[in-house]
Amino acid sequence: MTSTQMQALLQCAQAREARGDFAPARVGSQAHAQRREDIRGDFTCWLREPLYPAERSLLNQLEELRLELNREAMLGLFELELHYARYAPGAGYARHVDQPQGTTQRQVSLVLYLNADWQPRDGGVLRLHEKDDRTLDIEPVGGRLVCFLTPGRVHEVLTARRERLSISGWFRGRD
C-alpha cells in the first residue's frame, strides 16, 4: 500500500468518526453482546455503503487477494467482512479467536494498519500464539497487511500507548 492510499484511508476513518459512525466494540454473541473494556477496548466502524473512493479501491484490491487465495490455496472464500478498529492509548484486546462459537464462516483474518510513523515504544502489537506456546509479535506499522488462517488461531492486541488504527476483518467461506 502506498502512503497516498494509507493517507486516503486515514481521512475516510476521520470522516466516519466525525459522522459518529464509530461505536464501542462489544464481546459475546449478538443476543448477549456487551461492552467489556477489560477484554476489548477498541471502537469499531463497519465498512458499509456508501463507501468512500479509497475504501472502494481497498475492497477491489482485497478482492484480487481473495481470488488469488482461492486459486492458489483452494480456500473457498466467498465474501469479505471489514471494519475500522481504533484503540485509544491504554486499550488492547485480550487473547481470543475470531470464530464466534458455533460458526465456521471466518476463514482468513486480516489486518491493514493505518498508523503513520509507528515506533516499538508505541505498543499495540498483534501477538499471535502458536500451538507450542511460542508467540509471534507483529508491530502495527502503517501500510502493513497481516493475514492468517482464522480457525483456532489465538491472538491478542497488546496495550497501545498511542492511538492505533487499522482496518480488520475476515474472508469468509460458507458454513
Side-chain angles (χ1 to χ4, degrees):
M1 161 169 291
T2 68
S3 61
T4 302
Q5 290 171 306
M6 190 178 84
Q7 189 62 35
L9 288 167
L10 274 169
Q11 290 172 353
C12 294
Q14 291 166 349
R16 288 181 177 276
E17 189 153 23
R19 284 193 330 214
D21 292 349
F22 278 76
R26 298 160 49 109
V27 297
S29 65
Q30 288 182 348
H32 300 93
Q34 57 184 312
R35 178 69 171 169
R36 293 279 313 270
E37 289 186 49
D38 58 317
I39 296 173
R40 182 177 186 180
D42 59 325
F43 288 75
T44 60
C45 170
W46 292 92
L47 264 73
R48 294 193 170 93
E49 296 289 349
L51 297 174
Y52 291 105
E55 294 169 337
R56 175 91 45 222
S57 176
L58 174 64
L59 287 179
N60 290 338
Q61 291 175 305
L62 292 175
E63 175 63 8
E64 290 177 26
L65 176 59
R66 183 189 71 82
L67 294 172
E68 184 70 16
L69 288 169
N70 282 342
R71 255 191 315 276
E72 297 300 321
M74 295 180 267
L75 293 177
L77 306 172
F78 289 95
E79 62 185 352
L80 178 61
E81 175 182 30
L82 286 176
H83 66 278
Y84 288 98
R86 182 179 52 78
Y87 292 80
Y93 193 164
R95 287 173 64 135
H96 66 283
V97 294
D98 286 345
Q99 288 272 356
Q101 283 187 337
T103 67
T104 60
Q105 291 176 326
R106 293 177 177 173
Q107 293 297 308
V108 176
S109 297
L110 58 98
V111 184
L112 174 63
Y113 296 109
L114 302 177
N115 308 301
D117 303 318
W118 198 264
Q119 300 297 316
R121 68 179 174 271
D122 297 330
V125 166
L126 171 65
R127 177 168 286 167
L128 301 174
H129 293 268
E130 303 291 335
K131 293 192 186 312
D132 61 2
D133 292 330
R134 289 181 302 137
T135 59
L136 173 63
D137 288 350
I138 302 169
E139 289 185 31
V141 174
R144 177 176 285 163
L145 175 66
V146 177
C147 298
F148 56 90
L149 294 175
T150 304
R153 172 61 78 170
V154 177
H155 59 285
E156 63 186 303
V157 175
L158 302 184
T159 303
R161 292 187 195 91
R162 67 171 250 217
E163 184 172 287
R164 176 192 188 273
L165 183 66
S166 64
I167 296 176
S168 303
W170 306 272
F171 284 119
R172 296 164 46 113
R174 292 193 176 123
D175 272 340

